Amino acid sequence: MATELRPPTLPAPTLPIRTERLMLRLVVPEDRGAVGAYCADPEVTRYLPFGVLDDAGLDSRMERMVGAQAPSLVGEMLSLAVEHDGTMIGDLMLRLSAAHSPESAPSIAELGWVFDPSVAGKGFATEAARALVDLAFTHYPLHRLMAQLDPLNLTSARLCERLGMRHEAHTREDYANRDGGWSDTAVYGLLRREWAGA
Ligand SMILES: CC(C)(COP(=O)(O)OP(=O)(O)OC[C@H]1O[C@@H](n2cnc3c(N)ncnc32)[C@H](O)[C@@H]1OP(=O)(O)O)[C@@H](O)C(=O)NCCC(=O)NCCS
């Protein structure tokens, strides 16, 4: 009888992670207030797949984030809360997005970030995302990390560049935006060997 091959189960990462100024930890239900506050700002959600969150939208985002603790399969996510001086100032996401074959572990993952605008311009998002990039390549068997964003999202594009990601592609009108139109996508990528050599 043929044995069904399955991808290996990946362990949960060891958290929290401490950087010079920040702590990265799992998201907990008590983070609802902080997430709700920065996701209530239309400037923050402008380029996100969701608009300003109402109560139900916030509940479903919190449920997804709190449940995203130990990704192992393609499509699964790690969500992290970023704290500065005991206050949650933003969140990070790592989504396992592709594998060589159905039986191998994911080898490509996508990064995402949302930060409270009250702490913008201090390098916190860069410091936190750098720690997530290091975690991604040390903990997961990844070959490539990528980020996809609206090319008009300049703060996010600059963040990708500070992380050493390369601007690899600009695809035209491939994303159905929330205004009923089409947006372009900028693709940024970082290969394991580039991260290791940096
Ligand atoms: C994308 C986002 C996280 C970037 O935030 P940010 O404040 O620009 O990023 P940082 O916290 O890393 O701060 C970087 C800025 O601080 C400056 N800075 C100050 N001290 C710094 C330090 N110690 N280290 C690095 N940068 C520092 C940098 O020069 C940079 O300024 P610049 O962009 O004018 O060059 C934020 O704009 C955001 O949450 N946007 C909304 C959500 C969103 O669109 N997410 C992406 C969807 S694809």
Side-chain angles (χ1 to χ4, degrees), residues 179-191:
D179 300 328
W182 291 98
S183 295
D184 294 358
T185 300
V187 179
Y188 285 80
L190 180 67
L191 302 178

Side-chain angles (χ1 to χ4, degrees), residues 21 43-49 111-117 119-127 130 148-150 153 155-159 162:
R21 299 177 291 175
E43 277 308 304
V44 170
T45 60
R46 186 159 167 197
Y47 298 111
L48 297 178
L111 295 168
W113 34 67
V114 185
F115 276 73
D116 190 318
V119 298
K122 297 180 174 163
F124 288 144
T126 307
E127 186 172 322
R130 261 196 201 121
Q148 301 189 79
L149 41 123
D150 189 317
N153 190 349
T155 56
S156 210
R158 284 201 294 270
L159 174 49
R162 281 194 295 273

Side-chain angles (χ1 to χ4, degrees), residues 80-157:
L80 295 178
V82 180
E83 266 189 29
H84 173 61
D85 280 349
T87 301
M88 182 183 182
I89 58 165
D91 60 84
L92 294 169
M93 176 280 291
L94 179 81
R95 180 171 30 232
L96 304 177
S97 59
H100 268 299
S101 61
E103 64 274 10
S104 61
S107 48
I108 301 180
E110 184 174 352
L111 295 168
W113 34 67
V114 185
F115 276 73
D116 190 318
S118 68
V119 298
K122 297 180 174 163
F124 288 144
T126 307
E127 186 172 322
R130 261 196 201 121
L132 179 58
V133 168
D134 290 346
L135 172 75
F137 280 123
T138 50
H139 185 75
Y140 298 98
L142 298 176
H143 175 61
R144 166 183 166 78
L145 270 180
M146 45 104 67
Q148 301 189 79
L149 41 123
D150 189 317
L152 300 176
N153 190 349
L154 299 180
T155 56
S156 210

